[in-house]
Amino acid sequence: MSERLGVAPWTAAVPPPVLLAAGEENPMGSESPMGSENPMGSENPMGRPTDARDRPSLLGRPHPRVEGAAKVTGVALYASDTRLPRLAHAALVTSTIPRGRITGFDLAAAEAVPGCLRIFTHRDFAGAIRPVKHLMAGGHANSGHRPLDSDAVAYAGQIVALVVADTVEAAREAAARALVHYRRDDFADGFDAPGSETVRLADLKPKHHDPRCGDADAALAAAEVTVAARYETPIQHHNPIELFTTTCAWDGPRLTVYEPSRYIGAVRHGLAAQLGLDPADIRVVAGLIGGHFGAKFALAQYTAPVALAARALGRPVSLVPSRRDCFTIANYRPETRHDIRLGATRDGRFTALVHEAEVIASRFDPFAMEGTDVTASLYACPNVRTDERAARVDRNTPGPMRAPPEVPYLFALESAVDEMAHALKLDPIALRRRNDTLTDPISGKPFSSRPLMACFEAGAEAFGWAERDPEPGRMRDGPWRIGLGCAASVRPVKIAPATMRIGLGPDGRATVASAHHEIGNGITTLLALGAAEWLGLLPEAVTVRLGDTDLPAAGLSGGSSTTTSLLHTLAQGCESLRVRLAEAAVAGPLAGADPASLRLESGRLAAPDGRACPLDMLVAGLDPGGIETVAAFTPEGSGPEALEAIESGRMALGTGAGSQAVSWAFGAQFARVQVHAETGEIRVARLLGAFAAGRVLNPLTARSQLTGGMIWGLGSALLEETILDRGHYRNADLAEYLIATAADAPEIEALFVPDPDDTVNPLGLKGLGELGIIGVNAAIANAVFHATGRRIRALPIRVEDML
Ligand code: MOS
């Protein structure tokens, strides 16, 4: 866990280590994508100019992740690594029918497996787990459905029994021998299936509005040039290396849950509501998270049954589900389809956009992706009509997966824009430039910054777009047809409230603690750098603790909001500590100085006149045990109710609603593909993205986030698809569910485009966890069209599409 990450305490004798000065080699070997320059300038992110005596800012420079060594040497602990005395092991039995009733169990053979302790079914748990609403509906759960509450089966792969045994092997063996008898009912599993229920999104989600302006249908009828097509994206499933596990241990009335979750507060409070416990009696520990990208979302359905089993057996119980189980006991990206009609003048100005979208939802939860807020506002267009619908079917509830709406919705729009460019015989970047806008056509508000075309220009230059023959099918390299394609990536900025304890010890060390999560994005590193920067310490003098509900409350890791939310919280807390120290100093060693002028730097509190006072002495003078503060940050436009939401494990992720502007992060994606003229094999030879996401605090981890997303985007274009067959996911394993591997990953580059945005929030941060994946699928599909003249409108694009 993060506690072991702190290294030796800072003393003046220790030379400053990992920090890279301009132009220096990165000890990790990867290059700074910024070169040696920080394009955001070197001013202090709290808004004060850097004092000439200050070292270069720690923020804005590449810094290796502080838990990196622990991760690569295997000593880093994840929740799934939890081992406890007398631990019993659980395995799941899941339904083999898509819908119906359980008519009986035949468990004798299972119970006879040596080591099998007990098999729990709805006969044990009916009524024992109280309903909890979906997180998006004001509750805590990733699904309101309760699988072990009755004999009803609502979808294939639903949990119908929980086997507990002395060993993992015995639990799995017994689960395999458990027989469940069913009565089958009719079911609807997808779009157009008889019995599916199509509803307007506004009927499913009360806050939803379909963005509109002008009269799109009339403008479309009058348009000089039109493009109309249907685009489709498939089901995709989360497959993080760390599975969807939980371990529950009771100590009298107190329950500790070790679970990889990206919202441990929701697990704690949701479980308390389900089991009728006081939240104060539940502690959830996540440690480091072995991948989530949208999974591990809120309270899962398996946690309460495992907790109840642990209580019944008087032993801690751990569940490590199979990879196959993870396709149905958690959430996934559902299939979508889009009817897009785009009208333009002959010189390439958009006059009409109609986007009718349909997504899959479950029967019992209000979760549905909504994405036309982005497609309706991306380009200047006076007439826009969008309609979003959801088809409710007999499946487990979908959920967020990295850039949940933008990945499918921008595949559709950015493919249609490419089709329009072809119809108009215009370069696709020139068409986008012609329809660029500084104002959101729907709300009429300005964008807080809008460097979209700067991204296209920087990307085109670095990628060599000028070499592209405008006519499809003409670029060749031996047997390969070559295609170049591009697409936009955009993502609204999100920000959440958070609380955080920041302490300074009499030894001059700092601690930063919050019930947030290290999901692999590098937030531990940024918190260490930020605290060091603002408290005038070396990063090694900072200990960061995350992933434990005993720490001050924070919200979920999602919506690319983590850095934005937590760094503002940290800055606020560090400033309050500085003020306290400054007030103490002017009453003593720095008498006569203006407290506002005192700066924390190099382990001292320094005055502009050159006087300074050692930090450890000041701290010890205030309190021999050290001082601390709990910062409570709320974004602009939200009040105390936002803090109440995170204190009670509910959703509090917003856009900073007080803003007079629309704030997005931007990017331009470029792909070079080669399609074999005879076999149809498709290879992506190169991906390049140019991104503008406000101030970039650690270019090294930021670049890693972006390139990782781009590789997933490649998978989204060419590989990833869950096959649905009569209600079942048929390829629910990593042999048949294809993901992009190292061998698929091409030459890949992520560039940063300066985006100084001082109105989005005080630190100018936009977040970029999701930006890298968005638009890659469209850029690749557009490149395939450019290579072959074939427009593939349903993902993934496969060899057979080329024949
Ligand atoms: Mo998201 S996929 O809610 O970060």
Side-chain angles (χ1 to χ4, degrees), residues 170-469:
R172 293 198 173 165
E173 177 71 18
R177 287 169 189 261
L179 276 183
V180 187
H181 304 289
Y182 301 97
R183 191 199 77 214
R184 289 166 174 271
D185 290 334
D186 290 341
F187 64 93
D189 65 353
F191 291 130
D192 307 323
S196 67
E197 182 201 2
T198 300
V199 297
R200 288 166 7 101
L201 221 52
D203 294 332
L204 193 62
K205 303 173 81 164
K207 285 188 193 152
H208 177 83
H209 292 287
D210 289 322
R212 286 178 186 190
C213 64
D215 184 342
D217 294 284
L220 199 62
E224 291 172 0
V225 184
T226 58
V227 159
R230 165 166 288 196
Y231 304 89
E232 296 171 82
T233 64
I235 308 169
Q236 297 179 340
H237 272 86
H238 286 287
N239 280 288
I241 297 297
E242 185 189 38
L243 297 161
F244 306 138
T245 73
T246 193
T247 300
C248 296
W250 293 86
D251 177 9
R254 295 212 47 171
L255 172 63
T256 304
V257 179
Y258 304 88
E259 184 170 315
S261 170
R262 64 172 173 130
Y263 195 177
I264 52 177
V267 176
R268 174 199 219 172
H269 289 273
L271 205 51
Q274 281 185 328
L275 301 180
L277 297 175
D278 181 345
D281 282 334
I282 301 180
R283 178 182 178 204
V284 183
V285 179
L288 298 164
I289 312 290
H292 88 69
F293 303 119
K296 300 176 181 170
F297 171 64
L299 176 65
Q301 295 170 331
Y302 41 82
T303 309
V306 171
L308 290 176
R311 191 158 68 184
L313 294 167
R315 290 173 66 170
V317 175
S318 150
L319 168 69
V320 179
S322 67
R323 180 66 64 183
R324 179 166 294 272
D325 289 338
C326 290
F327 278 64
T328 58
I329 63 168
N331 312 113
Y332 58 97
R333 194 196 295 282
E335 62 271 46
T336 70
R337 61 188 186 188
H338 309 259
D339 289 310
I340 295 212
R341 295 193 283 287
L342 193 54
T345 60
R346 213 165 288 290
D347 69 352
R349 270 167 227 288
F350 296 156
T351 55
L353 168 65
V354 174
H355 187 166
E356 295 167 349
E358 198 172 354
V359 300
I360 289 289
S362 72
R363 296 282 190 192
F364 28 78
D365 285 310
F367 181 89
M369 296 183 306
E370 37 199 339
T372 58
D373 57 326
V374 164
T375 56
S377 296
L378 179 47
Y379 296 111
C381 183
N383 303 289
V384 177
R385 175 169 69 76
T386 68
D387 270 298
E388 287 185 271
R389 290 170 192 277
R392 309 194 78 171
V393 298
D394 300 302
R395 302 237 306 266
N396 54 322
T397 299
M401 185 189 271
R402 206 168 198 173
E406 291 84 4
V407 166
Y409 280 67
L410 280 176
F411 166 67
L413 181 69
E414 290 295 280
S415 293
V417 167
D418 200 71
E419 297 207 41
M420 178 60 88
H422 183 68
L424 294 167
K425 297 196 186 312
L426 256 181
D427 178 86
I429 299 177
L431 177 60
R432 289 182 175 88
R433 187 177 298 109
R434 204 153 293 179
N435 293 285
D436 193 26
T437 175
L438 297 177
T439 309
D440 167 17
I442 302 298
S443 69
K445 289 182 183 180
F447 285 96
S448 62
S449 72
R450 168 92 181 184
L452 177 65
M453 292 322 299
C455 291
F456 272 102
E457 280 146 24
E461 169 76 25
F463 188 71
W465 183 257
E467 292 162 33
R468 180 178 180 266
D469 185 324

Side-chain angles (χ1 to χ4, degrees), residues 28-54:
M28 303 300 278
S30 23
E31 270 178 5
S32 158
M34 326 272 335
S36 60
E37 285 292 333
N38 172 5
M40 308 309 157
S42 58
E43 71 277 358
N44 183 309
M46 292 182 80
R48 298 188 302 265
T50 306
D51 187 293
R53 292 163 307 171
D54 278 359

Side-chain angles (χ1 to χ4, degrees), residues 93-97 101-104 153 160 180-184:
V93 180
T94 60
S95 68
T96 54
I97 64 161
R101 298 251 163 215
I102 298 165
T103 56
V153 172
V160 294
V180 187
H181 304 289
Y182 301 97
R183 191 199 77 214
R184 289 166 174 271

